[in-house]
Amino acid sequence: MTEEKLEFETRTGKVVIDYNRCEPVVKNTSNPSCGFACVKACRLYGRNILKIEGNRPVLAVSDPEEIKRLDNECLGCEYECMFHGTGCIKIELPLSGLQEIAKGGRQ
């Protein structure tokens, strides 16, 4: 399988879904053991950014600026995938000053 990912920008970070590790994609099943936990979380905690299409989570919104406007950065998709799925979702949120604090420079 080639490296396949869904990546999209939020207001302050980026969401990455690694399709090579996503159970419904890898097994091509419409009834995965995770139950599409990421999409359910997006509907419950978020703003319906994700939907199911072709046995995979995909963007329900195509406009990048609309995604940034809608996404509430609830982290629900990553959390639910970690506990009910394969942990194939990573949310990258930069924390300014973190490296300085780790080095003991900023307090």
Side-chain angles (χ1 to χ4, degrees), residues 55-68:
N55 295 333
R56 63 178 56 206
V58 298
L59 287 170
V61 180
S62 59
D63 178 37
E65 291 306 312
E66 186 68 2
I67 291 168
K68 289 177 183 177

Side-chain angles (χ1 to χ4, degrees), residues 62-99:
S62 59
D63 178 37
E65 291 306 312
E66 186 68 2
I67 291 168
K68 289 177 183 177
R69 187 187 75 75
L70 287 173
D71 188 54
N72 65 1
E73 297 182 338
C74 68
L75 312 177
C77 61
E78 181 181 36
Y79 179 85
E80 294 296 328
C81 181
M82 183 173 38
F83 284 101
H84 301 289
T86 59
C88 66
I89 300 176
K90 297 294 175 225
I91 299 175
E92 301 170 7
L93 296 173
L95 300 173
S96 64
L98 183 62
Q99 290 179 344

Side-chain angles (χ1 to χ4, degrees), residues 8 26 48 81:
F8 60 94
V26 171
N48 292 314
C81 181

Side-chain angles (χ1 to χ4, degrees), residues 4-9 15-19 22 24-25 28-29 32 34 36-43 47-63 67 70-71 77 88-89:
E4 284 190 76
K5 294 181 180 181
L6 170 63
E7 295 185 24
F8 60 94
E9 301 285 328
V15 177
V16 180
I17 302 177
D18 183 353
Y19 285 147
C22 181
V25 176
N28 193 26
T29 179
C34 68
F36 289 102
C38 59
V39 176
K40 289 179 181 176
C42 193
R43 290 179 182 162
R47 304 278 302 278
N48 292 314
I49 302 288
L50 298 174
K51 67 178 181 177
I52 302 165
E53 189 175 282
N55 295 333
R56 63 178 56 206
V58 298
L59 287 170
V61 180
S62 59
D63 178 37
I67 291 168
L70 287 173
D71 188 54
C77 61
C88 66
I89 300 176

